[in-house]
Amino acid sequence: MNLQDSISCIKGVGEKKCRILNNMGVETVDDMLHLFPRKYEDRREISYIMEAPFNKDVLVKGRVAARQYRGNPYNKKTPLRILVQDGSADMEVLFFNGRYLADYFNVGCEYTFFGKITLNNGRRQMAHPEFHRLGDKDDERGIFPVYPLTEGITQANMRKIIKSILPLASQAEEWLPDKIAKESNLCSPAYALTNIHFPKDERQIKEARYRMVFEELLILQTGLFYIKKGRSNIRKGIVIAENISVENYTDRLPFELTEGQKRVWEEVQKDMASVRPMNRLIQGDVGSGKTAVAELAIYKTAKAGYQSAMMAPTELLAKQHFVSLKRDLEPLGLNVDLLCSSLKAREKQEVLERLSSGKTDIIVGTHSIIQPEVAFKALGLVITDEQHRFGVNQRSLLAEKGDTPNILVMTATPIPRTLAVILYGDLDISVIDTMPPGRKPVRTYLRNNDSRDNVYDFVHNEVKAGRQAYVVAPLIEESENIDCRSAEEIYKELSQRFPDVSVGLVHGAMKQNEKDSVMESFASGETDILVSTVVIEVGIDVSNATVMVIENCERFGLAQLHQLRGRVGRGKAQSYCILLCGHESEIANKRNKIMCKSSDGFAIAEEDLKLRGPGEIFGTRQHGLPELNISDLIRHVDILEDVKKVAADIIDKDPLICLPEHDQLRRKVKRMFGEKIELKL
Ligand code: ADP
Ligand code: MG
């Protein structure tokens, strides 16, 4: 057998397991060896119950002293309880719904148990441990891999299969140029593949994982640099002469651009004037004024005789953009059109005709503007708003409707620089780091449920004073299993309590047109209080709204809380954000403190990175990046720094990745990116 053989050659992998593994993306023996453990169980040493730390996996050995010794044995819901003693202390082993296991445990016999000990009313307990009868064949000491599983495959299956093919790992050859492997202190692939599965100690785990993470990030980064380089070599983009004046636009603006806006606009103008097409990301906190920069770019593009397209993730946002673009640009003689699925067939046809004949200067829409029937006369600029909702693919589909138009991406999701560089590896990045003057920071308060009545009295007062309010809840409807407020419950409660104001409800399970009409009624001021789930998170702009109440705020992440708070504080009046905490926890308290202290999105994002578990923040899938197997853009940001230098050297020396020494690398880049991004490799 060798690495390229199908997994069906492995003994113990029958037709059924083969199919399950195929579904996990595993075809060959080599793939199987690249199915890495999620974590390890350290079962090298036996601890005494008395000395074992709480809440950490430990292995203990003990004698069963009693079985089902408390609780009503006739009640089916009573868990199986086993009293275990090891001479140092007692512990109770618990199996909920585990009474079928009772016969396995004989009083007086010794077993090993692997799991976490917790302290419950002074009693040591271990729930659902792994267990073996002492001396059983499979009761082994060592470090054991824990694999990701899917239905139909058990942990024991996985361990057995991997163990049986482990000797083949030694066939894995070094595929990186020697120089790179040496300078980056990488262990060999054979060593890494062997020891990542069944390591003897922590050092082996570390070396093996470092190699594998390095490898994967190098392939990713090299691919991204290749794409970026390829783009920068295109020398036939649309050129918008630098000296075209935009004074007519700026003269009409009721304000002066901020320093940040001016700087970013300079960068955008330079890009547009270059023969190389623009690929720029504008990052700016909510309310920093990204739209003005986009409008400048649209206006200038139109004056040069080209059309612009703006794509937003929801119909509501598209409509809002449509209204403001019309307001700002029509007086300057530009024609703005909206394309979305709610248009009637005839209206849509008219829009399409105006677009292809060149009458329309700017088209705003949702995904509908990447449909095949949409054609432009001369598309010069593509703008996507809130880009974290779009993949690389959708962006390029829109761009393909023109002859390499300029691309501008706008996002309010603050992303720390190190990460932005990789997440948007194919884009140049500009940051609007100033806020328009006179903005009053949103006052943020933390309250617990005892103050709910007061909080809602306050909301009521604000509404009576002519303002509007948002109330956000984590759930749509009440749930027996989760103890927190639901939008429906709050909606009912507030409607009853304040019959003199108008309360609206919007959540993700409603139909699109229902959602739209509720949101429109709030935007027009008809609705005073909008109760919702997080559907309002993205971009809606109602400057008369001054209060944001977030129920069960402990259920939201920092970035989300910040986005939600960004919905208020958009007008001249003082705004408020009230965090209602249902259940305190250490992490929730930290988040709340940061929210009360800081209003800077980037600072909050950095804190978020520190607080949250790795991998939770940016799903790579949303960004259209290839899926990663072992590496994590956040946890491995240090390795990423090392990798970046190496990848930059590779692309400098070999921009097309065609040197023989990069033969394998090219193959791996191609495999990782697949059809996601067109690679002419
Ligand atoms: P975002 O970056 O969140 O998209 P917007 O572009 O919607 O922000 O701008 C938010 C509000 O700030 C808008 O009402 C806009 O008119 C206003 N604004 C933008 N730039 C300035 C500025 N330089 N001075 C004052 N107000 C501004
Ligand atoms: Mg915006």
Side-chain angles (χ1 to χ4, degrees):
M1 201 163 36
N2 68 52
L3 291 174
Q4 294 323 314
D5 284 342
S6 152
I7 46 169
S8 58
C9 303
I10 304 171
K11 233 174 83 192
V13 180
E15 221 173 281
K16 192 165 147 249
K17 291 222 170 62
C18 192
R19 216 174 326 112
I20 296 170
L21 287 165
N22 286 164
N23 284 338
M24 293 170 84
V26 177
E27 307 270 341
T28 65
V29 172
D30 192 48
D31 294 341
M32 190 74 210
L33 284 172
H34 280 84
L35 203 63
F36 299 136
R38 283 190 290 122
K39 57 176 190 176
Y40 302 88
E41 284 174 0
D42 185 354
R43 289 203 238 165
R44 281 173 297 182
E45 283 176 26
I46 292 177
S47 311
Y48 283 114
I49 295 174
M50 187 70 190
E51 290 165 4
F54 294 119
N55 302 313
K56 257 181 88 173
D57 279 335
V58 288
L59 181 67
V60 299
K61 179 183 83 176
R63 193 175 301 277
V64 170
R67 208 170 70 180
Q68 211 61 319
Y69 59 100
R70 66 185 184 102
N72 174 0
Y74 299 105
N75 181 350
K76 281 213 175 73
K77 287 195 179 139
T78 306
L80 172 65
R81 295 174 202 271
I82 292 162
L83 187 67
V84 175
Q85 298 175 329
D86 73 347
S88 74
D90 294 355
M91 91 179 171
E92 182 176 81
V93 171
L94 276 172
F95 296 94
F96 297 96
N97 303 316
R99 303 213 307 173
Y100 65 96
L101 291 167
D103 289 341
Y104 183 85
F105 295 100
N106 297 320
V107 172
C109 289
E110 278 195 298
Y111 299 80
T112 56
F113 298 93
F114 182 81
K116 291 183 177 64
I117 298 181
T118 54
L119 200 58
N120 217 335
N121 287 329
R123 195 194 300 266
R124 285 182 168 81
Q125 287 184 329
M126 190 184 264
H128 294 269
E130 277 192 46
F131 52 88
H132 294 282
R133 200 168 286 149
L134 196 69
D136 263 6
K137 192 165 95 298
D138 51 356
D139 178 28
E140 294 172 271
R141 302 284 164 272
I143 297 178
F144 290 85
V146 179
Y147 294 99
L149 299 175
T150 47
E151 207 176 320
I153 293 219
T154 64
Q155 204 54 256
N157 291 152
M158 285 296 296
R159 287 178 186 164
K160 201 161 154 219
I161 296 170
I162 298 273
K163 211 160 203 172
S164 76
I165 56 171
L166 205 57
L168 293 167
S170 61
Q171 289 179 18
E173 283 169 22
E174 180 58 84
W175 57 272
L176 281 167
D178 284 346
K179 195 167 156 277
I180 294 178
K182 225 185 239 130
E183 284 176 3
S184 303
N185 279 322
L186 302 179
C187 65
S188 74
Y191 178 95
L193 272 185
T194 307
N195 293 303
I196 204 162
H197 292 289
F198 288 94
K200 285 197 196 55
D201 53 35
E202 283 86 357
R203 193 180 54 100
Q204 288 191 335
I205 298 178
K206 216 171 145 202
E207 288 168 345
R209 293 190 82 87
Y210 186 86
R211 156 91 207 193
M212 289 306 171
V213 170
F214 187 99
E215 213 181 277
E216 188 171 51
L217 290 177
L218 184 69
I219 299 165
L220 175 71
Q221 184 69 81
T222 308
L224 289 172
F225 280 157
Y226 169 87
I227 295 167
K228 191 164 182 174
K229 189 99 181 171
R231 289 235 177 106
S232 67
N233 286 339
I234 299 174
R235 306 219 134 262
K236 56 165 186 144
I238 285 161
V239 175
I240 311 292
E242 190 141 21
N243 59 7
I244 293 177
S245 156
V246 291
E247 255 174 43
N248 286 346
Y249 177 83
T250 41
D251 285 351
R252 275 183 46 88
L253 271 183
F255 47 75
E256 170 104 7
L257 293 181
T258 62
E259 286 309 308
Q261 283 170 318
K262 279 187 198 154
R263 200 189 55 248
V264 172
W265 171 231
E266 282 305 315
E267 288 165 346
V268 169
Q269 292 199 81
K270 279 221 179 65
D271 282 354
M272 297 206 309
S274 149
V275 284
R276 178 197 140 191
M278 167 165 79
N279 270 290
R280 186 166 292 277
L281 172 78
I282 301 185
Q283 268 195 71
D285 216 342
V286 274
S288 61
K290 295 180 291 292
T291 314
V293 177
E295 287 183 351
L296 278 162
I298 292 169
Y299 182 59
K300 194 159 177 173
T301 299
K303 273 188 94 176
Y306 291 100
Q307 296 166 293
S308 299
M310 184 184 266
M311 182 159 65
T314 67
E315 189 146 337
L316 183 77
L317 260 184
K319 282 183 181 157
Q320 280 197 353
H321 278 308
F322 174 63
V323 170
S324 55
L325 289 174
K326 235 172 131 79
R327 179 195 63 209
D328 297 343
L329 297 171
E330 258 184 10
L332 296 166
L334 268 50
N335 294 314
V336 188
D337 265 320
L338 174 71
L339 192 65
C340 57
S341 51
S342 63
L343 286 190
K344 294 200 185 73
R346 223 196 58 225
E347 292 171 319
K348 187 174 164 192
Q349 202 46 46
E350 282 171 13
V351 171
L352 291 180
E353 273 161 28
R354 282 202 294 275
L355 198 56
S356 59
S357 69
K359 265 214 187 78
T360 300
D361 297 297
I362 308 134
I363 184 90
V364 189
T366 53
H367 293 90
S368 43
I369 62 180
I370 52 177
Q371 299 310 313
E373 68 269 24
V374 179
F376 292 80
K377 176 144 188 267
L379 179 60
L381 174 66
V382 165
I383 300 176
T384 53
D385 192 14
E386 306 295 344
Q387 104 82 218
H388 58 296
R389 307 272 159 143
F390 294 113
V392 176
N393 256 352
Q394 290 167 313
R395 226 193 292 147
S396 49
L397 270 177
L398 186 50
E400 275 162 24
K401 295 189 176 291
D403 194 7
T404 49
N406 291 311
I407 295 180
L408 201 56
V409 175
M410 302 195 293
T411 178
T413 311
I415 303 164
R417 187 110 203 145
T418 32
L419 268 181
V421 170
I422 186 128
L423 289 177
Y424 301 111
D426 59 329
L427 299 172
D428 299 311
I429 299 174
S430 295
V431 180
I432 302 184
D433 50 8
T434 47
M435 280 300 208
R439 225 20 92 76
K440 293 185 192 135
V442 178
R443 289 202 188 136
T444 304
Y445 300 100
L446 178 65
R447 293 288 180 267
N448 64 27
N449 280 338
D450 298 342
S451 320
R452 286 185 84 242
D453 280 349
N454 291 341
V455 168
Y456 284 110
D457 283 341
F458 173 74
V459 170
H460 187 242
N461 285 344
E462 281 285 301
V463 168
K464 283 313 221 182
R467 315 263 174 244
Q468 289 163 278
Y470 297 97
V471 179
V472 176
L475 289 184
I476 296 177
E477 50 186 37
E478 276 170 88
S479 154
E480 279 178 21
N481 306 321
I482 312 172
D483 177 21
C484 72
R485 300 252 155 202
S486 73
E488 287 188 346
E489 186 186 350
I490 296 167
Y491 170 71
K492 277 196 209 121
E493 193 182 305
L494 295 184
S495 310
Q496 273 169 15
R497 188 165 154 193
F498 304 123
D500 55 335
V501 306
S502 142
V503 186
L505 171 69
V506 64
H507 57 67
M510 288 164 54
K511 290 207 188 73
Q512 188 60 47
N513 56 353
E514 290 172 346
K515 275 194 272 192
D516 285 348
S517 77
V518 177
M519 296 291 242
E520 271 161 31
S521 149
F522 187 71
S524 71
E526 249 168 82
T527 301
D528 301 307
I529 303 177
L530 181 64
V531 181
S532 84
T533 52
V534 287
V535 290
I536 57 157
E537 189 190 340
V538 176
I540 107 158
D541 191 2
V542 179
S543 58
N544 189 45
T546 54
V547 190
M548 166 66 67
V549 179
I550 304 174
E551 290 259 8
N552 290 97
C553 63
E554 71 279 4
R555 298 199 147 252
F556 297 96
L558 259 183
Q560 222 171 7
L561 292 173
H562 177 69
Q563 286 286 322
L564 287 171
R565 180 170 60 183
R567 297 303 114 217
V568 294
R570 311 194 131 229
K572 288 194 186 65
Q574 177 63 52
S575 288
Y576 306 88
C577 174
I578 300 159
L579 305 171
L580 270 173
C581 192
H583 300 276
E584 291 191 28
S585 71
E586 199 180 326
I587 182 156
N589 292 347
K590 275 190 193 149
R591 271 191 226 128
N592 296 336
K593 250 199 210 126
I594 295 165
M595 283 297 291
C596 292
K597 206 176 64 193
S598 175
S599 56
D600 174 354
F602 285 88
I604 289 176
E606 297 273 2
E607 295 290 341
D608 204 18
L609 282 185
K610 285 186 216 147
L611 282 184
R612 280 221 242 174
E616 264 185 62
I617 299 191
F618 304 103
T620 50
R621 218 170 295 193
Q622 285 176 338
H623 289 87
L625 280 182
E627 253 177 85
L628 297 172
N629 179 20
I630 184 172
S631 40
D632 183 295
L633 296 174
I634 291 160
R635 192 171 28 171
H636 299 127
V637 79
D638 295 343
I639 305 182
L640 190 58
E641 291 291 327
D642 298 341
V643 161
K644 237 159 45 194
K645 288 187 207 103
V646 177
D649 284 348
I650 292 174
I651 291 292
D652 261 359
K653 179 170 159 198
D654 182 14
L656 299 173
I657 324 182
C658 60
L659 291 176
E661 64 183 281
H662 296 146
D663 206 37
Q664 292 276 4
L665 177 61
R666 178 174 65 243
R667 217 168 286 162
K668 287 180 195 285
V669 171
K670 221 164 148 175
R671 181 162 181 207
M672 179 185 279
F673 283 80
E675 287 139 30
K676 286 204 169 124
I677 293 175
E678 192 191 339
L679 287 181
K680 297 184 184 70
L681 286 175

